Amino acid sequence: MEYNYASFIKIDRFSDVPVYLQVTNQMVLAINRGILKSGQKLLGSRQLAEQLHMHRNTATASYEELHSQGWVDILPNKGTFVASLLPKTSTNPKPENKYPIRTGYTFKKSFLFDNPFEYINCRYVWNDGSPDIRLTQLEDLSRVYSANLKRRSNRKKMGYYNQEGSEYFKEQLASYLAKSRGLKISPSNLLITRSMEMSLYILSEVILSPGDLVLVGELSYFSANMIFQKSGSQLMTVPIDEEGMDIDAVRHICQNHKVRMVHISPHVHYPTTVSLSPKRRMELLRLAKEYGFIIVEDDQEYDFQYDKPALVPLASHDDGGMVIYVSSFGKSLAPGFRTGFIVCPENLIQELKKHLGMIDRQGDVLMEQALGELIEDGSINRHLKKSLKIYRFRRNEMAVRLMEELGDVIDFQIPNAGLAFWLTWKKNLNLFKLSQLALKHDLYIPKTILYQNNKLTGMRVGFGHLDQQEMEQTISILKSMVLMLDKIDPK
């Protein structure tokens, strides 16, 4: 009896687990559940690859892994069969030895930090603008990291208490930021973190107190807002238009309230992708000096620039120590090779280090050493230059497809930077229902990219992770779902 293996094997293309191991693990589960029975002949590697939409070499690697674990027998000229004698698996413990289901004590629960992300196995997935890990130069990454791992001089750096990080990486990063972003800093102005979110969390611990007023965009990054609210701060929203944050509105708020911090992404505003105009940038800096509020400049998409030179960060114009610059390095690399970082005056860096040392005392010095070498030998610039050509093509292709298939129902501007489009709908359709319909057709549209209220129906749709065929298929599915929704729920 032949099965459609896709019915019990789901591949997550965005998982850190290699595809062949995902297939291996799910086939083991199918054997344990009796879906695949002892002695049963399995599909050939070519057929398996076709059913699961993967390379034949990946299917072969899965079978070889199953064979090495004893789950299948590979018989020359006959095929691959589920083993007659299966590996022993641990039996369920006796009921009296089960681990407790619930604690015997109470604890604080944070509904604010409920994970907004969902992970669903679909053939197609939309996101809010992520790079394509398939474009990663794994050869360069593995070469440099492996070399660092083998060096005897690095072994002493592999222990605990390395939250200070790699001074070599800081030197290279400071030089890179001076050349690419106009930030005239020294290594002492840098704090290396694991991610943008970690950077914002540490900052909020140091510079925010309960009751502080924080200004954010009327539409803004949900994770950052969650972090600021966790500190006990009060959030107030500021309108966003085609020139970015409304600085006149900021001034008006400052005249009536004591503002502690303004969080802004001036290069590519999240989610609308607009840039803060030069005039507004200078005015915001002037207001920060006048009213004494901190500007946290969130700049995680600076490297993805297409048609015209990017404006240098606000931090490069700051002569009063009012701007904290938060960004990431290596976003176009594989996820494990990316870091976050903070740029600010040295006295604040010293305090931030204390908090980083509490939550990440070990750090990842070898990874930082490897990243430093990629900067020094020019690999980062070469990789980014090559990637930008592909992302520019995908952006343009996405714009063409959106206009051809959905131009009568959506409005959008082609973004000059970043990896996402901001789509606003000309009619008030139900985006949640639309996403549910798309899910039934193997397209996952996460709720985190949907924005809907009585004034707005919008979506932030990433294009960086989609090749041409995936764009065509996903936009075609969306168009079909819009037509279907019109019939189900006509306005």
Side-chain angles (χ1 to χ4, degrees), residues 62-313:
S62 298
Y63 280 160
E64 289 175 349
E65 181 66 23
L66 287 166
H67 182 254
S68 70
Q69 295 182 23
W71 293 100
V72 302
D73 296 322
I74 299 177
L75 305 180
N77 302 319
K78 292 186 178 180
T80 303
F81 299 80
V82 179
S84 299
L85 295 176
L86 297 174
K88 291 183 179 181
T89 56
S90 59
T91 57
N92 292 328
K94 295 179 181 179
E96 61 270 18
N97 293 330
K98 281 186 177 180
Y99 195 76
I101 297 175
R102 301 179 64 84
T103 62
Y105 47 85
T106 60
F107 54 90
K108 293 188 294 184
K109 295 182 180 180
S110 175
F111 298 105
L112 181 63
F113 275 3
D114 284 351
N115 190 352
F117 301 101
E118 298 175 289
Y119 299 93
I120 296 177
N121 284 323
C122 280
R123 183 174 182 183
Y124 302 112
V125 176
W126 273 4
N127 60 39
D128 62 352
S130 298
D132 191 340
I133 61 174
R134 295 170 294 189
L135 303 180
T136 298
Q137 301 296 308
L138 288 176
E139 295 81 6
D140 284 341
L141 298 177
S142 59
R143 168 182 57 80
V144 176
Y145 190 80
S146 177
N148 273 278
L149 193 62
K150 293 175 182 177
R151 287 179 190 149
R152 290 181 178 273
S153 60
N154 282 338
R155 293 182 181 176
K156 62 183 180 180
K157 301 173 184 176
M158 296 171 65
Y160 291 105
Y161 306 107
N162 278 324
Q163 67 265 24
E164 291 289 327
S166 165
E167 287 302 315
Y168 166 70
F169 175 51
K170 291 180 186 177
E171 290 170 2
Q172 295 299 322
L173 182 58
S175 176
Y176 177 84
L177 294 174
K179 294 175 182 177
S180 64
R181 309 188 191 186
L183 293 169
K184 306 302 182 183
I185 59 173
S186 71
S188 62
N189 300 123
L190 278 167
L191 185 75
I192 308 302
T193 66
R194 301 279 185 170
S195 65
M196 287 282 298
E197 288 75 17
M198 179 183 280
S199 296
L200 293 174
Y201 188 86
I202 294 171
L203 279 172
S204 70
E205 287 292 303
V206 175
I207 65 176
L208 295 179
S209 300
D212 280 347
L213 181 60
V214 175
L215 304 188
V216 299
E218 191 170 24
L219 298 175
S220 51
Y221 187 38
F222 57 90
S223 287
N225 294 346
M226 290 162 63
I227 292 169
F228 302 148
Q229 288 178 299
K230 180 65 173 63
S231 72
S233 299
Q234 301 298 312
L235 268 56
M236 185 177 292
T237 61
V238 180
I240 302 292
D241 59 26
E242 65 278 0
E243 292 187 63
M245 182 174 280
D246 185 343
I247 306 304
D248 287 337
V250 174
R251 182 188 302 104
H252 179 74
I253 294 171
C254 289
Q255 290 169 349
N256 295 279
H257 302 275
K258 176 61 177 176
V259 175
R260 174 60 173 169
M261 188 183 90
V262 175
H263 176 249
I264 191 167
S265 47
H267 179 52
V268 184
H269 180 74
Y270 190 103
T272 65
T273 76
V274 298
S275 295
L276 188 66
S277 67
K279 180 180 178 181
R280 291 188 180 185
R281 289 168 183 246
M282 295 301 102
E283 180 62 14
L284 184 62
L285 282 171
R286 192 190 67 76
L287 289 177
K289 286 184 180 180
E290 180 180 351
Y291 291 100
F293 59 76
I294 303 164
I295 299 174
V296 172
E297 183 176 11
D298 191 329
D299 200 12
Q300 58 182 312
E301 294 191 299
Y302 189 90
D303 285 334
F304 302 98
Q305 188 75 27
Y306 306 115
D307 300 324
K308 55 185 178 181
L311 295 172
V312 295

Side-chain angles (χ1 to χ4, degrees), residues 373-483:
E373 290 188 23
L374 292 176
I375 297 174
E376 187 173 29
D377 69 15
S379 296
I380 285 292
N381 284 329
R382 290 192 296 272
H383 171 62
L384 187 58
K385 187 176 181 180
K386 183 178 180 181
S387 298
L388 281 176
K389 291 181 179 179
I390 298 173
Y391 290 133
R392 181 184 290 109
F393 172 81
R394 291 183 178 182
R395 180 203 62 169
N396 295 342
E397 185 67 19
M398 185 79 159
V400 171
R401 296 295 172 188
L402 287 170
M403 183 56 67
E404 288 181 349
E405 301 296 332
L406 296 165
D408 58 332
V409 293
I410 62 171
D411 284 320
F412 66 90
Q413 297 292 324
I414 299 177
N416 178 60
L419 295 171
F421 278 78
W422 173 245
L423 312 180
T424 55
W425 295 80
K426 297 177 183 179
K427 56 182 182 179
N428 187 28
L429 77 170
N430 188 313
L431 293 183
F432 178 76
K433 288 184 179 179
L434 184 67
S435 67
Q436 292 298 302
L437 288 173
L439 186 61
K440 295 178 181 179
H441 291 77
D442 232 5
L443 169 60
Y444 174 50
I445 303 176
K447 61 186 179 183
T448 53
I449 72 170
L450 307 179
Y451 295 81
Q452 188 155 33
N453 54 41
N454 57 358
K455 298 187 295 183
L456 171 73
T457 301
M459 297 172 65
R460 179 182 167 95
V461 179
F463 62 83
H465 69 298
L466 301 171
D467 63 26
Q468 192 169 358
Q469 181 268 338
E470 291 163 343
M471 282 183 195
E472 293 174 358
Q473 290 295 323
T474 54
I475 293 175
S476 176
I477 291 172
L478 188 67
K479 180 181 180 180
S480 298
M481 298 307 98
V482 171
L483 295 174

Side-chain angles (χ1 to χ4, degrees), residues 9-27 54 58 61-62 65 69 119 121 133-134 138 334-336:
I9 298 177
K10 303 296 183 183
I11 296 173
D12 181 359
R13 304 287 179 184
F14 303 98
S15 171
D16 291 336
V17 179
V19 171
Y20 84 96
L21 284 180
Q22 293 184 46
V23 174
T24 298
N25 294 338
Q26 292 180 69
M27 290 192 77
M54 62 185 184
T58 305
S62 298
E65 181 66 23
Q69 295 182 23
Y119 299 93
N121 284 323
I133 61 174
R134 295 170 294 189
L138 288 176

